[in-house]
Amino acid sequence: MILEREFYARDPREVAPDLLNKVLVSGGCRGRIVEVEAYAGADDPGSHGYRGMTPRTEVMFGPPGRLYVYFTYGMHWCANVVCGADGECAAVLLRALTPLSGLEEMRERRPKARRNQDLCSGPAKLSAALGIYGAANGADLVTADLGIEVIDDGTAPPGEPGRSVRIGLSAGTDLPWRWYVPNCPDLSRRG
């Protein structure tokens, strides 16, 4: 079942742990979401939208249920699910997936991955493996207008998800807004 817009129209710190074990679909590729990070806009110095809307961050301001895709380090794309009320800046970074289907296609896109668990074990890796690039910025996950959606296949989020500070930031480093499926071998980083 595809997630409705109401699912995303909440605080990213509520949406993030609820996204765990949902399935990200992009074309013929599917992966179970096992690691996420929340970003709370104007209240969060680690957020791209902390200082307000720019052409780069416009999608982060809504409506909820869209994909915010950005280019980082001059070489990688990362995908975020836009959350909160329309006009607010809020998103959840998709950090890692467990590959479920379309593995041959994922391997073609990520030929250096040695094992299946290396295909989507980081935000740039999962975007590359699923073919999510700049053209997907603003894609509507609710209508799947670009063939990208998040579905609930009945697998519940973990009752007690792992939690830590976010990874790789220079600001907002003390906020424990990273959630993950405990003991999952596909995480970007353990614990």
Side-chain angles (χ1 to χ4, degrees):
M1 172 177 72
I2 194 164
L3 298 180
E4 299 294 330
R5 202 160 312 279
E6 293 76 29
F7 175 89
Y8 302 107
R10 301 178 288 147
D11 187 288
R13 292 159 288 200
E14 295 173 12
V15 175
D18 287 349
L19 277 170
L20 293 176
N21 285 330
K22 301 296 187 273
V23 177
L24 177 64
V25 178
S26 179
C29 298
R30 291 174 177 239
R32 188 167 307 285
I33 300 169
V34 295
E35 182 182 355
V36 293
E37 288 179 348
Y39 289 88
D43 297 328
D44 179 3
S47 172
H48 289 174
Y50 180 61
R51 290 187 173 83
M53 188 185 302
T54 66
R56 178 188 190 201
T57 64
E58 184 176 1
V59 170
M60 283 184 79
F61 286 82
R66 294 204 177 263
L67 200 62
Y68 166 55
V69 180
Y70 67 91
F71 198 56
T72 186
Y73 300 118
M75 65 178 103
H76 300 296
W77 294 100
C78 295
N80 297 258
V81 173
V82 176
C83 304
D86 197 8
E88 281 182 15
C89 179
V92 174
L93 173 66
L94 303 174
R95 284 202 60 87
L97 306 175
T98 295
L100 298 175
S101 63
L103 273 72
E104 287 182 26
E105 193 173 349
M106 290 184 198
R107 286 196 169 283
E108 287 175 15
R109 292 179 179 137
R110 296 222 48 254
K112 293 182 180 180
R114 293 184 177 169
R115 307 167 299 166
N116 288 349
Q117 66 193 77
D118 298 327
L119 288 169
C120 302
S121 59
K125 292 177 183 180
L126 79 83
S127 292
L130 272 67
I132 298 173
Y133 305 110
N137 189 40
D140 192 331
L141 299 169
V142 176
T143 65
D145 61 346
L146 295 180
I148 304 170
E149 61 190 351
V150 178
I151 62 171
D152 184 345
D153 69 353
T155 304
E160 294 186 32
R163 191 167 181 186
S164 77
V165 295
R166 297 173 297 185
I167 298 170
L169 298 179
S170 57
T173 57
D174 59 327
L175 301 171
W177 295 350
R178 173 181 170 254
W179 288 266
Y180 57 91
V181 175
N183 304 312
C184 179
D186 303 301
L187 302 179
S188 66
R189 184 181 293 176
R190 306 290 184 284

